[in-house]
Amino acid sequence: MQIVSTIDELRRVRRDWLRAGERVAFVPTMGNLHAGHLKLVREARARAPRVVVSIFVNPLQFGAGEDFAAYPHTPEQDEARLREAGVDLLFLPSEAEIYPHGREGGTFVEVPGLSDILCGASRPGHFRGVATVVAKLFNMVQPELALFGEKDYQQLSILRLMARDLNIPLELIGVPTEREADGLAMSSRNGYLTPEERAIAPALYQVLRDVDAELTGGGRDLATIETAAATRLQAAGLRPDYLTIRRAADLQLPQAGERRLVVLAAAYLGRARLIDNLLITLD
Ligand code: PAF
């Protein structure tokens, strides 16, 4: 595995692969890699002869008072895992390499509409930060494929829209969420949970599954289902930010007769803000 930290070095390697006609699959990450990230890498490996992973904790996607300074760093462990997973190139840029004009001095990418709802409503500027860094990374790496976890369903929807609107020539692939044995979606932020909170956390997925069962069982009063589910989250000890049933295609409110839905939730638990979602197809 080659490790580079500058765009020039990255481009040199990329050019050689282009000359050799080798396609590139790209997995952007913020490090502290867990089994969910490694699943993205495995999927990338299966789809292209060359795999690039980036690790960059992107300051632009953290709001004031969020966990940028505390975000977990595990560089040696990450490097070993990526080597073992057969990654060809690890891109480890500095902040100055990505944002040479500072955090506020450069061009931003905004995806209107979708960026201001759900997680975007509680984290203003978050998706602008995500879209900006991912657009820049796409231009640096120039991959044919890019892979993202479905756990961040809203992020995935926004990035699909961004790639389409900016005519970025790549295929964007969503990979199903990797879960702990008790159903908790894998996330670097799970590390913030105390043992007591960790025991409560699987309730989030359990409640999403309950919503799935209610909808597939014929329940159609979405508002009542959502309110009851949020109450169950609260009773379990979580503090719901939102729990909502949306159209899977575009995260808008479902019309009657809509068949492809997604139930999404975010909830606070101690220092952590947990998110999860479940795709639901109705007959
Ligand atoms: O999902 C993440 O880890 C980040 O939002 C991403 C896509 C790497 C952009 O910083």
Side-chain angles (χ1 to χ4, degrees):
M1 181 173 78
Q2 296 186 66
I3 303 180
V4 299
S5 55
T6 67
I7 300 165
D8 279 351
E9 293 170 290
L10 170 68
R11 290 230 159 102
R12 266 199 292 278
V13 178
R14 181 68 186 92
R15 246 190 325 263
D16 291 344
W17 292 343
L18 192 65
R19 282 203 198 97
E22 293 173 327
R23 281 156 55 85
V24 171
F26 176 43
V27 180
T29 79
M30 298 207 299
N32 189 233
L33 304 177
H34 51 65
H37 297 109
L38 298 177
K39 185 173 175 181
L40 298 181
V41 172
R42 266 200 315 278
E43 289 290 329
R45 223 355 354 133
R47 287 164 199 260
R50 296 295 184 182
V51 175
V52 176
V53 173
S54 63
I55 297 181
F56 178 64
V57 183
N58 173 34
L60 244 56
Q61 69 188 76
F62 290 80
E66 289 189 356
D67 54 345
F68 175 62
Y71 199 81
H73 288 263
T74 47
E76 289 89 14
Q77 181 184 300
D78 291 351
E79 194 186 311
R81 287 186 172 170
L82 294 176
R83 240 179 240 291
E84 199 182 299
V87 167
D88 295 283
L89 182 75
L90 170 59
F91 182 41
L92 282 178
S94 66
E95 190 177 330
E97 190 73 4
I98 299 283
Y99 299 121
H101 308 295
R103 294 181 188 177
E104 292 300 321
T107 301
F108 294 110
V109 177
E110 301 256 12
V111 182
L114 266 190
S115 296
D116 305 320
I117 59 172
L118 309 177
C119 284
S122 323
R123 305 184 68 192
H126 169 64
F127 288 117
R128 181 175 83 158
V130 171
T132 300
V133 81
V134 172
K136 286 167 73 70
L137 288 167
F138 281 174
N139 282 330
M140 293 169 194
V141 178
Q142 301 195 313
E144 273 81 16
L145 313 171
L147 297 96
F148 295 87
E150 280 179 355
K151 196 206 79 178
D152 298 295
Y153 192 85
Q154 186 177 6
Q155 167 173 284
L156 181 60
S157 308
I158 288 170
L159 294 175
R160 280 191 199 289
L161 208 55
M162 177 192 81
R164 193 197 68 189
D165 287 351
L166 297 181
N167 308 96
I168 303 178
L170 54 60
E171 189 187 345
L172 221 144
I173 294 161
V175 176
T177 304
E178 189 74 358
R179 299 183 179 281
E180 304 286 357
D182 58 10
L184 178 65
M186 292 206 180
S187 164
S188 300
R189 291 186 168 106
N190 292 348
Y192 296 156
L193 300 171
T194 64
E196 294 73 30
E197 290 159 356
R198 176 62 189 80
I200 292 170
L204 182 57
Y205 182 54
Q206 192 51 56
V207 167
L208 297 183
R209 289 184 49 145
D210 293 347
V211 171
D212 181 5
E214 283 165 55
L215 289 170
T216 49
R220 289 295 175 268
D221 182 350
L222 302 190
T224 304
I225 294 173
E226 287 169 351
T227 309
T231 306
R232 282 203 294 280
L233 283 180
Q234 230 151 5
L238 290 130
R239 192 159 60 79
D241 179 12
Y242 63 78
L243 185 144
T244 182
I245 300 162
R246 296 291 171 113
R247 197 153 67 186
D250 57 8
L251 293 181
Q252 301 308 305
L253 294 172
Q255 307 291 314
E258 202 72 60
R259 292 184 54 232
R260 288 202 63 242
L261 302 173
V262 57
V263 53
L264 309 108
Y268 298 95
L269 184 57
R271 273 177 65 213
R273 182 176 182 280
L274 304 178
I275 61 172
D276 203 352
N277 68 82
L278 199 54
L279 285 159
I280 302 171
T281 304
L282 301 179
D283 292 333

